[in-house]
Amino acid sequence: MPKSETEFIEFYPSGWTEHVHEDVYVEYVYDNDPRIIVRIDGTMGENDYTVSPITGVNKSGEEFVTRPVSGLGAEEAFEIAEALVYAINGTAGRLSGEPEFNGEDE
């Protein structure tokens, strides 16, 4: 697992790329489909972080945001983002038939 360059996340799953634009603006991009993103945006202020799970982009470039969570502190925002990255990663692995996620890895 890659080591995170952020203060609140230690590691994230392989198959994802961490983009630290600023300490308060980080994106986790799914390598197999770079339109799947978990974004942490704290540019609105110290206790106003937003975590946005993005599950695709349409032809116009508009992102499909699956319910952002706002008004968070930094630590809480990173915890939620980390949980989303792992959840999406596990779901994608299961749907693609990877043995690790289907109970077939021995």
Side-chain angles (χ1 to χ4, degrees), residues 8 24 41-50 69-77:
F8 299 108
V24 297
D41 183 353
T43 59
M44 296 301 290
E46 189 173 320
N47 286 309
D48 197 12
Y49 279 71
T50 298
V69 181
S70 300
L72 304 167
E75 188 170 357
E76 184 179 27

Side-chain angles (χ1 to χ4, degrees), residues 57-64:
V57 179
N58 67 17
K59 290 180 181 180
S60 300
E62 298 169 319
E63 298 172 330
F64 296 114

Side-chain angles (χ1 to χ4, degrees), residues 6 18-28 38-41 78:
T6 68
E18 177 183 71
H19 298 279
V20 180
H21 303 286
E22 299 176 39
D23 288 342
V24 297
Y25 191 88
V26 179
E27 294 179 318
Y28 292 90
V38 175
R39 179 178 296 141
I40 304 163
D41 183 353
F78 279 87

